[in-house]
Amino acid sequence: MQQDAAPPPVRDWDPEIDDTLVCRAVRDETHDVKTFVFAPRHPCQFRFKPGQFITLELSIGGETVHRSYTISSSAARPNRLSITVKRVPGGPVSNWLHDTLKPGDTIRAVGPLGEFTPGDSVAPRKFLFLSGGSGITPLMSMTRTFDDLGDDHDIVFVHAARTPADIVFRRELDALTGPGRRLRVAHVCEGIGTEAHWAGFTGRLSLPMLGLIAPDFMEREVYVCGPGPFMKAVRSFLEGGGFDMGRYHQESFNFEELAAELAAQDTSAQAAPVQAAPDGGMPATAGFRIEFTKTGKVFACPPDMAVADAASAAEIRVPTSCSRGLCGTCKTKLISGTVEMNHTGGIRKREIDQGLILLCCSRPTSDLVIER
């Protein structure tokens, strides 16, 4: 009897071949947080490490906007990929996603990328996850992945939120702490809100509180993600408590906060004067001449400085996030001129061939005209 031929293998999703993703579901997590579930347009599998992110390319108000979001789903479930987004007041992308994106819609994306990941070791390890607000997403991806794979890691997961109603993934995390699972979860809320019988910790996370939650925290590998002030406070009290910072890992930029920061900067940046030369030409600073065609801004950039840094020095707003060519937020069309670009994965080869550059990691080797 002739045997049926084996089905062809499902290939990995490759944004160089097809960067389109289809939204398959939208879920409410809290009153201002939603999860968006994506699948490839054609049968593919996602390959990523828990803690990594993707960069979305969206058309909002007639402009192309790039924004990066950490993957919140399990890396052990390759057929779908999800991001979890908090609505940020004044954030153009988070608000657009919440108000506009629905199942069946398509977006373009690149990735996955990122170095904030626990690696591939399955040997039992002791982790301490510390998250604040929407910074929970990479740590949730790690937790879901470990649980799906049955990895015998010992995890203490501490999440800080404003009130109990703001705790993202609360029910799922609590469910993962059942019998036989080596996961302990502690929620820390600044206030109790409308939950009169709140039984968790109240206040702000501190070293004494951490000692109550995880008395053995000095022995653990620590991963931290959250708003800037939260991460700064955690780093400060761990250093002050004598923790071995060689076992401290921090997501160094928060994608969700970026939208609000850019919106807040927009008015002041547009009004800020550029230091121009007396004839109205290039600023009287040594370096190459950089021209932004859409805004009409002209400034100088030394050959040893990234274009984004020079623009910032001239008080010109340029959206950036990672500042090392990783996330793609500052991707821009180079109309003329040449640059030396040392990126770390935030731009595809075909985009480079089309004349796109990343302003955060591009240093001019000539005068530049840039479509911005």
Side-chain angles (χ1 to χ4, degrees), residues 116-171:
F116 184 68
T117 175
D120 302 319
S121 173
V122 295
R125 298 159 68 185
K126 297 180 69 173
F127 291 101
L128 173 61
F129 293 165
L130 303 175
S131 64
S134 57
I136 194 174
T137 52
L139 304 178
M140 194 64 189
S141 178
M142 296 178 196
T143 301
R144 285 168 164 167
T145 302
F146 293 156
D147 184 69
D148 282 342
L149 295 176
D151 290 343
D152 192 25
H153 299 312
D154 179 347
I155 304 171
V156 176
F157 198 137
V158 183
H159 179 64
R162 291 192 302 270
T163 71
D166 295 298
I167 299 174
V168 186
F169 308 127
R170 179 179 177 180
R171 291 183 179 178

Side-chain angles (χ1 to χ4, degrees), residues 307-342:
V307 175
D309 292 337
S312 178
E315 297 183 303
I316 300 172
R317 170 184 169 269
V318 171
T320 60
S321 181
C322 69
S323 301
R324 59 180 187 267
L326 183 64
C327 70
T329 302
C330 61
K331 198 176 297 178
T332 306
K333 175 76 170 180
L334 177 63
I335 298 175
S336 68
T338 56
V339 299
E340 178 184 333
M341 181 170 58
N342 296 312

Side-chain angles (χ1 to χ4, degrees), residues 15-208:
E16 290 283 358
I17 299 173
D18 184 0
D19 60 2
T20 299
L21 297 180
V22 181
C23 180
R24 294 301 188 193
V26 179
R27 297 195 295 263
D28 290 327
E29 302 291 352
T30 70
H31 62 98
D32 61 353
V33 176
K34 291 180 183 288
T35 289
F36 301 88
V37 181
F38 299 103
R41 182 163 51 177
H42 305 293
C44 295
Q45 291 189 325
F46 294 109
R47 301 294 183 190
F48 64 93
K49 295 180 179 180
Q52 291 189 306
F53 63 87
I54 59 171
T55 298
L56 309 183
E57 180 180 301
L58 306 169
S59 179
I60 301 176
E63 294 188 5
T64 299
V65 181
H66 297 89
R67 191 73 82 245
S68 299
Y69 289 100
T70 305
I71 300 167
S72 56
S73 52
S74 168
R77 304 187 186 191
N79 295 321
R80 294 289 187 270
L81 176 150
S82 68
I83 61 173
T84 301
V85 182
K86 177 182 174 62
R87 183 190 290 273
V88 179
V93 178
S94 65
N95 283 274
W96 185 90
L97 290 170
H98 274 243
D99 296 336
T100 307
L101 191 65
K102 61 186 183 301
D105 290 347
T106 61
I107 62 168
R108 298 178 66 188
V110 63
L113 298 164
E115 302 163 358
F116 184 68
T117 175
D120 302 319
S121 173
V122 295
R125 298 159 68 185
K126 297 180 69 173
F127 291 101
L128 173 61
F129 293 165
L130 303 175
S131 64
S134 57
I136 194 174
T137 52
L139 304 178
M140 194 64 189
S141 178
M142 296 178 196
T143 301
R144 285 168 164 167
T145 302
F146 293 156
D147 184 69
D148 282 342
L149 295 176
D151 290 343
D152 192 25
H153 299 312
D154 179 347
I155 304 171
V156 176
F157 198 137
V158 183
H159 179 64
R162 291 192 302 270
T163 71
D166 295 298
I167 299 174
V168 186
F169 308 127
R170 179 179 177 180
R171 291 183 179 178
E172 182 179 353
L173 278 173
D174 289 343
L176 289 175
T177 61
R181 303 191 185 208
R182 300 184 69 191
L183 171 67
R184 286 179 286 154
V185 174
H187 303 299
V188 180
C189 294
E190 293 185 26
I192 63 173
T194 59
E195 191 162 330
H197 301 291
W198 171 246
F201 289 88
T202 305
R204 294 192 175 184
L205 184 62
S206 63
L207 192 64

Side-chain angles (χ1 to χ4, degrees), residues 267-332:
T267 302
S268 60
Q270 290 180 356
V274 179
Q275 296 178 352
D279 60 0
M282 187 182 72
T285 307
F288 294 109
R289 181 182 189 275
I290 314 297
E291 178 184 350
F292 285 175
T293 58
K294 289 185 177 180
T295 62
K297 301 294 187 181
V298 178
F299 60 98
C301 181
D304 60 347
M305 180 180 287
V307 175
D309 292 337
S312 178
E315 297 183 303
I316 300 172
R317 170 184 169 269
V318 171
T320 60
S321 181
C322 69
S323 301
R324 59 180 187 267
L326 183 64
C327 70
T329 302
C330 61
K331 198 176 297 178
T332 306

